[in-house]
Structure formats: structure tokens, C-alpha cells
Amino acid sequence: MKKMNTLFALLFASAGVFAQTMWNVDKNHTNIQFNVSHMVVSEVNGSFTDFTGAVKSKTDDFNGADVEFTAKVASISTNNEKRDGHLKSDDFFNAEKFPEVKFKGTLVKENGKYLLKGNLTLRDVTKPVTFDVTYGGTVDTGNGVKAGFKLNGKINRLEYGLKWSNKLANGEMVVGDQVEIVCKIELNKAAA
């Protein structure tokens, strides 16, 4: 009997070690945005409005959490129908041939700061990226537990095949190569 009790104790203890908490992106309280310079003197911002995301965490502070995210390219919005159509064309995202933007990676805490490291896929190009992350904490709302994050980073759009580039008379680019990505993310803890 002692051996059985010991075996059950070990099984329950090991299950706790491997326990993972699932979190899902709350689409109503999350913004996936980007900014890019326009005509050198200003910026244009846009967002994706159709997306999904999930986080699988083994720790309460999300260190080492697995992160997956997908956005539908057809949902891109800059509040300008003509520009949105151009962004969906082969000059940029080619929404028909490459309908999704994908990210898969890990949230890590290094020297007291959070970083999101992983692979970002745009069009048919996958490249490693690192984003700075601010962890806002968690809160039990009485109707569930929520967690909040803010993500910032930059990518070079040309490295992903978003190739359109006209120049102004002075030689400067109409659309900048560097794209700033800013995401404000709220997660819902999945029911156990």
C-alpha cells in the first residue's frame, strides 16, 4: 500500500510540474497595429482586425510561454480603401496568394525585461524577430482572469517581399522600409 501511495504522490507531483495554463487573445481588447513613414515627413498607421492568438504558459509570470498568432491579411485597415487595396496587392502582402501573417515563438524574461522571440512569416518569407514586451500583470475580474501586454518592435518590410518602393523627386522613399509594430494585447485565461 505504501508503494501505491508513493506512486500516486509522484504522479500528482509530476503532473504539476508539467501543468500549463492556456490563454487566448481577447479580440475585443487587443490592437495589432503598424506604423510606417510616408513621404518622409509623416507616418501612416494601420491594423489587422481579424486575428487569433494563444499563449501556453508554465509559469505565473509567463517566462518561457509559447506564443502563436495569426492575422488575416484581408483584414488590413488603414482607414483608406484605396490604400488598403494596394496593401493587399502583390506590391505588398498579396492577400490572395498569402492570406495570413503568422508568428510562433517564446516569451522570455532576460535581465528583468520581457522579450518575444520567434519566427514571423509574411508572404512566403519566415525570419527570426525579437520584440520588446511590457507585461502589465494579471487581474481576476470575477468573470475570469485576464493578462495584459504591450509589444513593440521593427521589421524591414523589404526583407519579407513587401517590395513596392517609389521615390520622391528628392530621392527619398514614399513609403519607408522600416515598419514599427505596436500591439496592445489582452489575454483571457482559458477555463480549466
Side-chain angles (χ1 to χ4, degrees):
M1 187 68 170
K2 265 187 171 177
K3 286 183 182 178
M4 284 299 271
N5 288 340
T6 304
L7 179 62
F8 282 122
L10 286 172
L11 284 173
F12 284 118
S14 65
V17 170
F18 297 110
Q20 298 179 344
T21 304
M22 291 298 300
W23 299 78
N24 297 307
V25 169
D26 179 345
K27 291 173 72 169
N28 294 322
H29 298 104
T30 295
N31 296 303
I32 309 301
Q33 300 177 329
F34 59 88
N35 304 305
V36 65
S37 69
H38 183 252
M39 304 269 185
V40 185
V41 296
S42 66
E43 288 187 352
V44 169
N45 63 357
S47 63
F48 292 95
T49 59
D50 187 3
F51 52 84
T52 59
V55 175
K56 190 185 323 176
S57 182
K58 296 176 189 156
T59 63
D60 289 340
D61 69 353
F62 291 89
N63 188 23
D66 296 322
V67 178
E68 290 191 33
F69 172 82
T70 302
K72 300 291 185 187
V73 173
S75 75
I76 199 166
S77 175
T78 62
N79 293 318
N80 180 301
E81 195 173 312
K82 183 177 177 184
R83 180 172 47 226
D84 294 348
H86 191 202
L87 288 171
K88 294 173 193 176
S89 77
D90 191 44
D91 284 342
F92 290 95
F93 288 94
N94 192 342
E96 187 175 314
K97 188 172 181 184
F98 308 106
E100 295 179 332
V101 172
K102 292 186 176 231
F103 175 85
K104 187 173 184 176
T106 305
L107 184 62
V108 295
K109 192 174 183 182
E110 295 179 358
N111 301 318
K113 290 180 65 176
Y114 284 91
L115 299 171
L116 183 60
K117 297 180 176 186
N119 290 311
L120 177 66
T121 302
L122 299 172
R123 294 179 62 107
D124 59 346
V125 179
T126 301
K127 293 197 162 290
V129 293
T130 300
F131 298 108
D132 293 323
V133 176
T134 303
Y135 172 41
T138 60
V139 63
D140 187 339
T141 67
N143 291 320
V145 179
K146 293 190 171 279
F149 298 88
K150 183 176 179 183
L151 177 148
N152 287 290
K154 289 187 179 183
I155 62 167
N156 183 318
R157 67 181 178 87
L158 297 177
E159 292 178 356
Y160 291 90
L162 282 70
K163 59 190 181 242
W164 187 83
S165 66
N166 279 353
K167 292 186 178 183
L168 299 169
N170 66 1
E172 295 286 346
M173 302 302 291
V174 173
V175 177
D177 297 343
Q178 294 295 313
V179 179
E180 179 185 26
I181 297 173
V182 179
C183 304
K184 297 171 185 169
I185 302 163
E186 193 170 294
L187 300 176
N188 291 324
K189 186 176 182 179

